[in-house]
Amino acid sequence: MTAEPSRPSGYGRHDEADRDTAGGAPEWYASGDWTDAASWHPPPEEAGPDRGTGRAGRRERSLPEELAYAVVIPTLGRPSLSRTLRALADGRGPLPRRIVLVDDRPPHDPEPLPVDIPGPLRGLVEIITGPAAGPAAARNAGWRTVPERWIAFLDDDVVPSPDWAADLAADLAAAAPGTAGIQGRISVPLPPDRPATDWERVTAGLATARWITADMAYRRAALEAVGGFDERFPRAFREDADLALRVQDTGWTLQPGRRRTEHPVRPADWWVSVRAQAGNADDVLMTRIHGRDWWSRAQAPRGRLPRHLATTAAGTAALLAAALGRRRTAAVCAGLWLAGTADFTAARIAPGPRTVEETARMVTTSLLIPPVAVGHWLAGLLRHRGESA
């Protein structure tokens, strides 16, 4: 048996409580020799739902207490939520003890959450009202309502694979005592018959992103040790990277799992890439909390902000020079602005389908993205001045 790693801050509050509760566990679990954990799956007779009755049947009870898990899904009521729940219901493996849907729509919305809950999950789903303050706050509201040792966070637009629950059970069983979280393997289906659009390529980046909560399971003890998600992050951006860094800073480790989840590309309007620039303010907060090296520690791509700063500065200088009657300076600065904008536009058009619509979208949004990105970055500097962990 391999040596047990040192236990980080927060370990033991739940994990030692039920060592004698191994009902439904495999032989290696009860013996303490976890050599075979990584290759374990629940036996077939315990893996499937009781499809004849529409109830959870033995699936719900096939994990020992220490490996029992809850699923938390923050949602704005998108139609994709029903698809996510259907995939969980139809899959193989032990069901969660409960599924918490955090309704994070504005509080004045009088309509019930629009979701179709499949039969096998009806006794497991709990709907709670979220604070309508973004996914970080919604996930906190969700995990704090459940007693389970493990919380699996899913987005409301993902599709867990048919073996997701069985593979999650194996991921949890194989986790060392010092492992705080286990990430699912994300895939993004792209059109096979044409190059991906700019938005599709952005979404495809989720397949290589680290520790994203589109599918991420955390120990409750680790979440409690760091206080959960930082609710200063108001968007679905950087809040998961921040949590991962803080968890690792306390001595826990994170690891990839073997369960698989598909993240389809959501429909998006013309201006989605412009709105996404709001994340530049969150990058400022990340730097305030984690220092300038957080990019490499989180394995996050740096993006084009430095070039956006240069392009926007050139454009601003051109306008000021023109207003002051300095035509030569204005022409030089305008040329620099045009070169930067053209380079950015070409970089977005070249790998795409190059249709008339996509090209027009890239041209118009590439004019706006640099100044909008810089504006959000400056707003972040102002908003988060003096802030830290």
Side-chain angles (χ1 to χ4, degrees):
M1 185 172 68
T2 57
E4 186 175 284
S6 59
R7 297 177 179 181
S9 170
Y11 176 85
R13 275 172 265 181
H14 300 280
D15 300 79
E16 297 288 355
D18 292 309
R19 289 288 178 188
D20 58 343
T21 313
E27 254 180 64
W28 52 260
Y29 183 90
S31 70
D33 182 356
W34 288 25
T35 306
D36 297 326
S39 60
W40 177 72
H41 270 86
E45 64 271 16
E46 294 184 356
D50 187 348
R51 300 182 189 276
T53 64
R55 292 180 285 107
R58 295 182 68 189
R59 273 189 73 183
E60 183 182 359
R61 298 187 295 272
S62 60
L63 280 178
E65 189 69 25
E66 204 166 299
L67 300 182
Y69 69 97
V71 171
V72 171
I73 306 176
T75 183
L76 295 173
R78 291 186 290 211
S80 56
L81 175 60
S82 295
R83 180 181 58 191
T84 301
L85 295 179
R86 171 52 61 189
L88 290 174
D90 290 346
R92 185 178 75 85
L95 283 169
R97 290 288 175 86
R98 71 197 78 239
I99 299 172
V100 179
L101 306 181
V102 186
D103 183 354
D104 212 38
R105 295 175 299 168
H108 60 267
D109 193 329
E111 297 298 323
L113 185 68
V115 59
D116 179 20
I117 300 174
L121 303 184
R122 283 180 189 157
L124 307 179
V125 171
E126 304 170 11
I127 301 176
I128 67 170
T129 300
R139 292 191 189 100
N140 280 341
W143 75 261
R144 287 170 178 158
T145 67
V146 304
E148 282 72 28
R149 314 291 173 79
W150 286 94
I151 295 95
F153 295 104
L154 291 174
D155 282 352
D156 70 352
D157 56 352
V158 301
V159 183
S161 71
D163 285 331
W164 184 87
D167 287 338
L168 173 62
D171 286 344
L172 302 185
T179 299
I182 309 170
Q183 182 181 359
R185 299 178 184 270
I186 303 295
S187 63
V188 179
L190 296 175
D193 56 345
R194 61 164 174 79
T197 64
D198 179 72
W199 174 239
E200 289 166 343
R201 295 193 305 276
V202 168
T203 306
L206 296 174
T208 55
R210 300 291 279 178
W211 322 129
I212 59 172
T213 41
D215 181 358
M216 186 75 190
Y218 272 103
R219 286 189 195 269
R220 162 178 286 279
L223 293 171
E224 289 176 341
V226 300
F229 292 87
D230 189 332
E231 297 181 14
R232 289 176 292 179
F233 290 92
R235 286 167 284 275
F237 190 70
R238 301 304 190 207
E239 84 291 355
D240 40 19
D242 164 74
L243 175 62
L245 291 180
R246 287 188 290 114
V247 164
Q248 292 175 98
D249 285 345
T250 61
W252 295 90
T253 62
L254 302 174
Q255 66 185 49
R258 70 188 194 188
R259 66 191 186 279
R260 296 185 179 277
T261 296
E262 187 176 274
H263 194 302
V265 179
R266 291 199 308 266
D269 63 32
W270 191 281
W271 307 108
V272 63
S273 58
V274 178
R275 290 195 303 274
Q277 302 312 307
N280 285 281
D282 302 316
D283 287 345
V284 173
L285 181 56
M286 287 290 288
T287 301
R288 297 287 193 229
I289 296 172
H290 300 287
R292 295 185 179 277
D293 67 340
W294 75 263
W295 299 90
S296 59
R297 293 168 55 211
Q299 300 179 47
R302 285 301 301 260
R304 295 182 65 107
L305 181 62
R307 280 179 276 187
H308 291 337
L309 285 165
T311 299
T312 303
T316 303
L319 292 174
L320 289 174
L324 294 172
R326 299 180 178 178
R327 295 183 180 180
R328 184 177 180 82
T329 301
V332 171
C333 291
L336 292 172
W337 170 84
L338 182 60
T341 302
D343 175 73
F344 179 44
T345 305
R348 299 176 72 206
I349 291 173
R354 306 186 194 181
T355 61
V356 172
E357 181 183 5
E358 177 73 358
T359 300
R361 182 186 294 116
M362 294 301 96
V363 170
T364 54
T365 56
S366 295
L367 290 170
L368 294 175
I369 284 175
V372 171
V374 171
H376 282 295
W377 178 71
L378 292 173
L381 289 175
L382 181 64
R383 185 182 310 127
H384 301 304
R385 64 189 185 280
E387 291 195 31
S388 64

